[in-house]
Amino acid sequence: MQIYNEEYVYQVIIEEPDRQKLDDIWASDGDPIWIWCDETFGEDMWYSEYKEVSDIDVYYFKKEEHRSWFLIRWAVS
């Protein structure tokens, strides 16, 4: 279990029902989050994990601007 990693300081937490909305976007867009993040930021600049207990996805970023671009691209309203 990773408590804190100072290398990946910036985080985005996606809870239900936003996870379901993003699933719908993936189905219509064909651009899953992890592919988009790899192509946009590079494989070593971010990572994600699913926390089953809380039923949330957490995305971690090394740079604040990467977190901001992620929020702009994947914001759900």
Side-chain angles (χ1 to χ4, degrees):
M1 176 179 183
Q2 187 172 354
I3 303 298
Y4 178 75
N5 182 340
E6 64 187 31
E7 189 174 10
Y8 295 92
V9 176
Y10 306 99
Q11 302 175 14
V12 175
I13 298 172
I14 302 175
E15 301 173 318
E16 288 292 340
D18 291 337
R19 291 179 71 238
Q20 183 58 45
K21 290 179 184 177
L22 286 173
D23 285 344
D24 295 341
I25 291 171
W26 295 345
S28 65
D29 190 0
D31 191 14
I33 290 177
W34 58 89
I35 292 173
W36 182 85
C37 286
D38 281 348
E39 291 174 353
T40 305
F41 310 128
E43 293 180 15
D44 64 339
M45 296 301 289
W46 74 283
Y47 76 94
S48 68
E49 66 182 342
Y50 172 72
K51 298 189 183 261
E52 189 173 347
V53 174
S54 305
D55 195 26
I56 60 173
D57 289 322
V58 183
Y59 291 84
Y60 303 90
F61 302 93
K62 287 184 178 181
K63 297 183 176 181
E64 185 177 11
E65 59 263 25
H66 291 172
R67 178 185 176 274
S68 297
W69 278 113
F70 180 91
L71 290 171
I72 290 169
R73 170 61 177 97
W74 295 103
V76 211
S77 55

